[in-house]
Amino acid sequence: METFKLLLLGDSGTGKSSLLLRFTDDRFLGENVQTTTIGVDFKVKFVEDENGQKIKLNIWDTAGQERFRTLTSSYYRGAEGVIMVYDVTNQQSFLDLKTVWLNELKTFADLPTLTLLVVGNKIDKAQGLLLMFWVGAGGFPRGGQ
């Protein structure tokens, strides 16, 4: 069975833990419940590929607060995929993907081998105000650049 290491990165409060809980446990904490990750959280999800082969996903949910970044840097090593999460109602959380989180990846991970996925979260909170961003114009690496 193949195993893949995935990381969830982004500022505190962008909903990384909620995405993880929904994907792995099919649960939603509710509209007014907010959790804070201390250091890192870890969950496992088994999925099947298009050929029916089982794949084990080890998913690491990292804390978004700066005070925990030194704790989480070691978890970047060996990651095959990264989901970078921003809050669509908070432009700074998007800008930090490039200025903070991409720099962290360049420092601690093997960036050319990573698959990056950028996710705009909290679309339900936008209420007519939606920050839309063109990732290609945002300077994110493509194809191992």
Side-chain angles (χ1 to χ4, degrees):
M1 174 185 331
E2 285 193 82
T3 301
F4 290 95
K5 181 178 181 179
L6 303 175
L7 302 177
L8 286 167
L9 298 179
D11 286 356
S12 180
T14 56
K16 298 178 301 296
S17 297
S18 293
L19 288 173
L20 179 62
L21 191 62
R22 183 69 169 168
F23 179 67
T24 58
D25 299 346
D26 198 25
R27 289 192 308 132
F28 183 67
L29 292 176
E31 190 172 321
N32 298 318
V33 178
Q34 185 172 355
T35 62
T36 301
T37 302
I38 307 297
V40 294
D41 192 9
F42 174 80
K43 292 215 178 259
V44 174
K45 171 89 175 187
F46 292 93
V47 296
E48 289 185 5
D49 68 11
E50 64 276 1
N51 298 319
Q53 296 272 28
K54 272 198 156 191
I55 299 171
K56 180 181 178 183
L57 301 176
N58 293 328
I59 309 168
W60 297 84
D61 176 13
T62 61
Q65 295 123 328
E66 181 151 357
R67 62 185 164 152
F68 295 117
R69 287 200 193 124
T70 57
L71 297 174
T72 60
S73 62
S74 63
Y75 295 102
Y76 292 21
R77 289 182 187 85
E80 285 105 354
V82 176
I83 302 169
M84 300 175 76
V85 182
Y86 72 97
D87 177 346
V88 298
T89 66
N90 179 343
Q91 185 177 17
Q92 189 61 49
S93 71
F94 178 79
L95 297 173
D96 285 349
L97 292 184
K98 185 175 178 189
T99 60
V100 175
W101 299 105
L102 195 55
N103 285 335
E104 292 268 318
L105 287 172
K106 287 177 182 176
T107 302
F108 299 113
D110 188 13
L111 193 58
T113 66
L114 286 177
T115 298
L116 296 178
L117 176 65
V118 177
V119 173
N121 198 19
K122 299 192 178 184
I123 190 78
D124 57 316
K125 302 286 185 190
Q127 296 178 354
L129 170 67
L130 179 59
L131 301 173
M132 298 295 278
F133 304 99
W134 182 251
V135 175
F140 286 93
R142 293 171 179 243
Q145 296 176 356

